[in-house]
């Protein structure tokens, strides 16, 4: 019943807070040479990549003993708005404010592919969908889907009215999700050879809200968007055009959000407060703040999750610091970007989880995650 479910969620949240706080040992902060705009952790190694305001890419090894810079590439002419490792960790994909897209081999730094005019304006977001397919989104809301080493995009979508702030991808279904600052999300099927890959788009909010991040939860059952004013909005599978459920997170803003498990996400506010949110098991699937991880103390732009799930990392745009925050053992797994198996057969059982000339406007972005097979497309 509802009371028993609420009790189970309360027990789980207390256990989560205990586990987050039981392992305080973490790497020291990393000081960047320039203002960091985007960060992403390697899928297997204790390595983090940073894209900065000068257009440079820098890669750091981190540990509780020492951090060191291992690569620095003067990659773009404009600020890097988004940088990610490929899913196999063998390349680094970056996009910038001058509209370029570059893929560097990792760790050699050799340029694999470069598209100087991938967009005619600032590119804010990038994601690797499949081994040879990449999606980019610009400040005007245009989405382009690329096949690596091809001059022209495979598809273009111009449905959004403002910048594409984030992507997520369901590999088993081939669904590409995009969030926009116009307060809408779109869903595209980029695997099927259809006349129209755009499956659906939610209503544009007319500046009433801005979506800054999007993640898919519950193996495709829910699509969760974070708003710039500190709210969550959730869409059910196949009902992206309907009215979303809305919750106040208690944060005064949200700068970025990362997936932890099928029922947990971590968010950081513009002012640096980091918190984990858990989705309850009841029929209404409400979100509750389960624990505060820490506070960066200064304006924060981006958030990344370590491959083993042991840390989240924040990047400060006032202090130029990357700071590590321990999640304890709660979310540790061999690869935190793959779907974690959840066992809820017993009540209360723990979820096992496994800026420049003009001031640049940094906007973050996400990595694709492998998903267990979901429902068939509607």
């Amino acid at each position: 019943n509802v009371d028993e479910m609420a009790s189970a969620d309360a027990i789980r949240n207390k256990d989560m807070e205990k586990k987050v706080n039981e392992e305080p040992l973490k790497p020291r902060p990393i000081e960047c040479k320039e203002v960091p705009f985007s960060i992403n952790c390697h899928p297997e190694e204790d390595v983090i990549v940073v894209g900065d305001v000068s257009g440079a890419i820098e890669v750091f090894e981190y540990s509780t003993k020492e951090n060191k810079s291992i690569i620095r590439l003067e990659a773009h002419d404009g600020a890097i708005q988004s940088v990610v490792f490929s899913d196999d960790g063998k390349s680094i994909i970056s996009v910038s404010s001058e509209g370029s897209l570059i893929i560097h081999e990792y760790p050699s730094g050799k340029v694999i592919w470069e598209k100087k005019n991938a967009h005619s304006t600032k590119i804010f977001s990038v994601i690797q969908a499949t081994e040879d397919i990449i999606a980019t989104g610009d400040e005007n809301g245009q989405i382009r889907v690329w096949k690596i080493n091809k001059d022209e995009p495979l598809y273009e979508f111009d449905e959004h009215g403002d910048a594409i702030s984030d992507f997520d991808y369901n590999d088993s279904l081939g669904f590409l999700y995009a969030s926009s600052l116009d307060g809408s999300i779109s869903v595209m099927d980029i695997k099927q050879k259809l006349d129209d890959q755009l499956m659906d788009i939610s209503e544009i909010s007319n500046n009433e809200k801005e979506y800054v991040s999007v993640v898919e939860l519950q193996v495709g059952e829910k699509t969760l968007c974070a708003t710039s004013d500190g709210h969550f909005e959730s869409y059910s599978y196949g009902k992206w055009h309907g009215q979303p459920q809305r919750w106040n997170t208690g944060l005064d803003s949200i700068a970025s959000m990362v997936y932890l498990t099928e029922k947990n996400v971590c968010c950081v506010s513009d002012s640096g407060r980091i918190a984990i949110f858990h989705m309850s098991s009841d029929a209404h699937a409400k979100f509750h703040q389960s624990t505060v991880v820490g506070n960066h103390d200064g304006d924060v732009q981006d958030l990344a999750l370590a491959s083993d799930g042991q840390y989240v990392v924040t990047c400060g745009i006032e202090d130029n610091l990357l700071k590590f925050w321990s999640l304890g053992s709660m979310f540790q797994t061999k690869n935190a970007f793959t779907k974690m198996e959840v066992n809820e057969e017993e009540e209360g059982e723990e979820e096992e989880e496994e800026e420049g000339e003009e001031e640049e406007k940094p906007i973050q972005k996400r990595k694709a995650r492998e998903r267990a097979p979901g429902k068939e497309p509607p």
Side-chain angles (χ1 to χ4, degrees):
N1 62 41
V2 174
D3 290 339
E4 290 174 338
M5 288 180 177
S7 176
D9 284 327
I11 293 170
R12 185 179 294 109
N13 291 342
K14 286 181 181 179
D15 288 343
M16 189 184 302
E17 184 164 8
K18 179 182 176 183
K19 291 193 175 188
V20 164
N21 294 321
E22 70 186 12
E23 296 181 26
L25 193 62
K26 59 189 178 184
R28 294 177 180 274
I30 295 172
E31 186 170 2
C32 301
K33 292 180 180 180
E34 303 284 351
V35 178
F37 272 10
S38 180
I39 56 176
N40 187 230
C41 291
H42 192 278
E44 296 178 359
E45 303 172 13
D46 291 339
V47 165
I48 188 167
V49 63
V50 185
D52 69 30
V53 68
S54 74
I57 293 170
E58 192 157 13
V59 180
F60 296 91
E61 286 183 348
Y62 61 85
S63 72
T64 54
K65 294 181 179 180
E66 66 172 347
N67 304 317
K68 62 180 180 180
S69 173
I70 57 174
I71 299 173
R72 185 171 173 85
L73 305 168
E74 303 299 330
H76 295 266
D77 293 331
I80 295 177
Q81 298 288 347
S82 184
V83 61
V84 295
F85 279 106
S86 60
D87 293 341
D88 61 9
K90 295 180 179 180
S91 58
I92 296 168
I93 308 164
S94 56
V95 292
S96 73
S97 59
E98 92 278 9
S100 64
L101 163 65
I102 304 178
I103 303 177
H104 289 90
E105 185 179 69
Y106 172 79
S108 73
K110 177 184 175 182
V111 174
I112 299 173
W113 184 50
E114 180 175 8
K115 186 67 180 170
K116 285 190 175 292
N117 297 304
H119 287 250
S120 60
T121 187
K122 295 179 183 179
I123 307 176
F124 278 156
S125 302
V126 65
I127 189 171
Q128 180 189 22
T130 68
E131 184 178 355
D132 60 348
I133 301 295
I134 291 170
T136 53
D138 69 26
E139 68 175 340
N140 292 332
Q142 184 183 70
I143 297 167
R144 289 185 168 183
V145 178
W146 305 86
K147 189 176 180 67
I148 294 174
N149 291 322
K150 298 295 183 181
D151 286 337
E152 299 299 323
L154 295 175
Y155 316 118
E156 289 185 5
F157 305 98
D158 293 285
E159 305 299 323
H160 292 281
D162 206 337
I164 302 301
S165 56
D166 199 8
F167 288 115
D168 200 4
Y169 183 66
N170 181 314
D171 183 62
S172 62
L173 296 178
F175 287 4
L176 176 68
Y177 301 90
S179 62
S180 171
L181 295 186
D182 65 10
S184 68
I185 63 163
S186 57
V187 186
M188 292 143 280
D189 186 340
I190 62 172
K191 273 192 176 178
Q192 300 295 323
K193 296 181 185 264
L194 307 173
D195 291 335
D196 185 6
Q197 272 71 29
L198 181 68
M199 295 176 59
D200 208 347
I201 182 168
S202 65
E203 283 191 39
I204 293 174
S205 70
N206 296 319
N207 298 319
E208 293 177 7
K209 61 188 176 187
E210 297 177 334
Y211 285 161
V212 295
S213 282
V214 58
V215 297
E216 186 195 63
L217 298 175
Q218 290 189 311
V219 199
E221 291 287 344
K222 299 287 183 182
T223 307
L224 183 68
C225 296
T227 71
S228 59
D229 64 357
H231 289 79
F232 286 152
E233 293 200 344
S234 173
Y235 295 83
S236 296
Y237 180 91
K239 298 179 181 178
W240 301 290
H241 195 69
Q243 188 68 26
Q245 290 181 279
R246 183 175 172 89
W247 300 272
N248 188 339
T249 66
L251 300 176
D252 58 4
S253 61
I254 296 176
S256 188
M257 170 174 67
V258 295
Y259 168 99
L260 296 177
T261 75
E262 291 299 323
K263 289 190 175 182
N264 293 278
V265 296
C266 185
C267 296
V268 62
S269 70
D270 293 334
S271 58
R273 185 182 181 192
I274 309 130
I276 294 171
F277 295 87
H278 173 73
M279 185 170 66
S280 65
S281 303
D282 58 53
H284 299 291
K286 297 179 181 178
F287 280 86
H288 305 280
Q289 181 175 303
S290 57
T291 188
V292 175
V293 177
N295 198 317
H296 188 105
D297 294 327
D299 288 350
V300 167
Q301 166 55 25
D302 206 357
L303 183 69
L305 176 67
S307 62
D308 60 3
Q310 189 171 359
Y311 310 108
V312 287
V313 189
T314 51
C315 86
I317 56 177
E318 286 185 327
D319 56 16
N320 290 11
L321 293 179
L322 308 184
K323 292 185 177 182
F324 293 79
W325 308 91
S326 176
L327 297 182
S329 60
M330 189 65 198
F331 303 106
Q332 285 188 41
T333 177
K334 183 178 179 182
N335 187 334
F337 297 132
T338 61
K339 179 187 178 296
M340 303 174 192
E341 295 188 359
V342 179
N343 181 358
E344 290 187 313
E345 292 178 359
E346 293 184 16
E347 190 179 288
E349 185 175 359
E350 292 177 359
E351 293 178 4
E352 285 183 357
E353 287 153 357
E354 298 206 305
E355 282 159 43
E357 291 163 2
E358 237 179 82
E359 226 175 303
E360 297 282 4
K361 184 181 180 183
I363 293 189
Q364 154 46 5
K365 312 24 202 213
R366 192 143 342 279
K367 29 265 155 201
R369 293 188 302 275
E370 212 176 299
R371 292 291 190 186
K375 296 182 178 179
E376 289 302 312

